[in-house]
Amino acid sequence: MLPPSLSDAPLRPSHLTERTRADGEPSQTTFPDGPVLPPRRSAGFAPIRILSISDSESYLKWATQLLSSLPDVEGRVFLVDNPILPTDEQIASAVAGTDWEHREVPVIARSDVAQVIADHSPDIVLGAATGPIVAQIFLTAHTRTDRPALVSGLPGMGLPASGKGMNYRRLMDAFIAHSSAEVDAYTEASAQSQVPCEVLLARLPMLRSEGIPQLKNSSTEAAPHTLVFAPQAKVPAERADREAIIAALAECADRHPESTAVIKMRSRPGEFETHHEQHSYFEILEDFRNRQVPGADRIELGYGPLSNFLTDGAALVTVSSTAALESIDQGVPTLLISDFGFDEELLNEVFEDSGATGTLADVAAGSIGFPDPGWLAENYFHPVDGQLRRDLGLLATRSQAGQLPNRRSAMFKQKRLLLRAELRTVTPAPLVSAYRKLRGTA
């Protein structure tokens, strides 16, 4: 049963629309309070104040899931206005199942960040956003004499570790990783990039199983009742590869009339995601339907929280999406498509030895497996022992005591990085190319 469809027309968040409707300029005179998260439960810690700022739906989902999982925390969550700001529908999907469900998430301008931090005096600022936005947030926070601790992370699997991402987060005190392999990789990236920070281990907050997940339904049905495909904006990059995936879904639907195939979309046409998508599955599916490819008319587009689709009788396939981990966490049959290989570019190397890989022929047949328990224990499903909350509590204590380092030289590097990035957005491409050639011969 799919969730009810909403209007196909993408809407900007209503509170932002109203803010800008009067004279075309965003109001910057008042700041709505971010919703306070009273401690839902106590683990005996002194409460800490965490202010989170996000820019996109995937980072908002990670931040609200993370804060909702931590005891003894007062959390405030904001979105910063930017080109990939999620719509109301994307926001609702991102915060579903968290303490921010059915609450408004305030949207602020970048120029409002300093005032918001001053108003709420957090112990920790969580930069839950893309690199350039995090750099600006952390620069603003670092200029305070009573600066908060600065923490960042990624909203899903973080391998391979990126030196570029670390550079944008140069001012952070801690980076949250989600597996032991990620801790090792980001510790090395921190050293190579000369970005001194602690690398903290935590489970991805949307993974809530206790212990190692077990396959819920081990029956040998020919095909799942609902075959869910979780796409990604960046991979695979080639249109032909994406068409091959749709063809396999269509063949599965055609071969198994009792089954339904669903492409679980993260945005509607015209909406934005964290990463730009060049070849839209929406357009490819329309093309398949226009050409009357058998089974294409039985592929549905789904919107809303992924959990709505991981129901009894469902199975999930993807190239490398974090959705695979959410599916595994709920004991749902899961397949990582192997036809395109496993490498850094596809962001899926970690899954190569998972035991849950399969071909597009397997997808067409509806033959979906489940990872090996040994792989799960070593990758993303380590025990939850409360260590992240203890680590964050220590950072908060250091912030309150004024014991955090003042990285003046790092601030200058960060400002130069942001200035270069800003100049690239306003300088004509031929001039940038000519400058780089000239610099290369100097």
Side-chain angles (χ1 to χ4, degrees):
M1 182 69 178
L2 294 178
S5 61
L6 302 176
S7 169
D8 286 338
L11 300 174
R12 296 281 276 175
S14 57
H15 43 281
L16 183 65
T17 303
E18 294 168 0
R19 250 180 1 120
T20 59
R21 187 174 290 160
D23 56 6
E25 295 295 328
S27 169
Q28 299 181 17
T29 55
T30 59
F31 309 97
D33 283 346
V36 175
L37 169 62
R40 296 180 300 110
R41 66 186 191 280
S42 178
F45 297 111
I48 58 176
R49 301 184 302 274
I50 300 180
L51 170 67
S52 173
I53 302 178
S54 298
D55 61 352
S56 62
E57 51 87 23
S58 59
Y59 276 100
L60 178 64
K61 177 179 178 178
W62 176 63
T64 52
Q65 294 269 7
L66 177 65
L67 294 180
S68 297
S69 71
L70 295 171
D72 299 311
V73 163
E74 286 185 359
R76 295 180 185 271
V77 173
F78 289 87
L79 279 162
V80 64
D81 192 13
N82 74 102
I84 58 172
L85 186 71
T87 63
D88 281 339
E89 183 181 354
Q90 287 176 303
I91 292 172
S93 294
V95 303
T98 76
D99 291 320
W100 280 267
E101 189 169 15
H102 307 307
R103 298 191 188 189
E104 181 182 63
V105 178
V107 179
I108 59 174
R110 295 189 199 188
S111 56
D112 296 340
V113 170
Q115 188 62 56
V116 168
I117 294 174
D119 286 347
H120 299 300
S121 299
D123 303 311
I124 294 172
V125 168
L126 178 64
T130 53
I133 296 293
V134 173
Q136 293 177 341
I137 293 168
F138 285 1
L139 265 175
T140 301
H142 206 282
T143 58
R144 296 180 57 85
T145 55
D146 58 341
R147 82 165 181 91
L150 307 176
V151 178
S152 190
L154 300 178
M157 297 178 297
L159 297 174
S162 166
K164 180 179 179 181
M166 297 298 278
N167 276 325
Y168 275 121
R169 295 166 172 83
R170 180 168 294 278
L171 294 173
M172 66 183 167
D173 298 291
F175 181 87
I176 298 175
H178 299 116
S179 73
S180 297
E182 286 193 6
V183 169
D184 293 341
Y186 280 95
T187 299
E188 182 178 353
S190 171
Q192 291 180 346
S193 305
Q194 296 183 328
V195 177
C197 70
E198 298 179 62
V199 181
L200 310 180
L201 175 62
R203 254 206 200 194
L204 280 161
M206 64 282 294
L207 306 183
R208 299 173 180 173
S209 58
E210 294 185 8
I212 304 301
Q214 304 292 323
L215 184 61
K216 280 184 179 178
N217 186 358
S218 58
S219 66
T220 57
E221 286 187 47
H225 181 267
T226 304
L227 182 61
V228 181
F229 170 58
Q232 294 152 276
K234 296 176 68 175
V235 298
E238 299 299 325
R239 182 182 178 95
D241 293 340
R242 293 176 172 234
E243 289 178 345
I245 294 172
I246 300 299
L249 295 175
E251 184 177 347
C252 182
D254 188 53
R255 290 168 59 176
H256 305 284
E258 72 286 357
S259 299
T260 300
V262 179
I263 304 175
K264 194 306 189 174
M265 307 291 282
R266 296 184 62 169
S267 62
R268 297 181 184 274
E271 293 182 333
F272 296 99
E273 298 180 26
T274 304
H275 301 290
H276 174 69
E277 183 172 51
Q278 185 173 0
H279 303 294
S280 166
Y281 284 103
F282 179 90
E283 295 174 356
I284 294 173
L285 180 58
E286 282 295 300
D287 178 56
F288 271 53
R289 288 173 174 171
N290 290 336
R291 291 192 283 118
Q292 297 184 335
V293 174
D297 60 340
R298 298 191 56 248
I299 300 176
E300 303 183 21
L301 297 175
Y303 300 91
L306 178 63
S307 57
N308 289 358
F309 300 87
L310 301 180
T311 56
D312 289 343
L316 182 135
V317 299
T318 187
V319 175
S320 63
S321 173
T322 302
L325 296 180
E326 294 188 59
S327 174
I328 293 165
D329 186 61
Q330 297 189 36
V332 172
T334 304
L335 179 146
L336 283 301
I337 299 171
S338 61
D339 295 61
F340 315 117
F342 293 90
D343 55 40
E344 288 189 2
E345 186 176 345
L346 289 169
L347 310 175
N348 63 357
E349 281 185 309
V350 68
F351 286 113
E352 185 170 11
D353 300 320
S354 66
T357 64
T359 65
L360 288 173
D362 293 323
V363 174
S367 178
I368 314 299
F370 200 72
D372 298 326
W375 182 88
L376 291 172
E378 295 178 5
N379 295 275
Y380 299 102
F381 290 93
H382 52 272
V384 177
D385 58 5
Q387 185 59 47
L388 176 65
R389 177 57 181 79
R390 291 191 289 273
D391 290 337
L392 294 178
L394 180 58
L395 280 174
T397 299
R398 291 170 58 195
S399 170
Q400 295 161 2
Q403 296 176 348
L404 296 170
N406 186 339
R407 300 194 177 100
R408 186 177 300 275
S409 62
M411 287 181 63
F412 293 137
K413 289 182 180 179
Q414 197 74 93
K415 288 178 180 178
R416 288 198 299 271
L417 178 66
L418 286 174
L419 179 60
R420 289 197 300 269
E422 192 71 24
L423 286 174
R424 283 196 297 269
T425 66
V426 298
T427 304
L431 289 180
V432 173
S433 177
Y435 168 72
R436 285 174 174 167
K437 290 180 180 179
L438 180 64
R439 186 178 61 179
T441 59

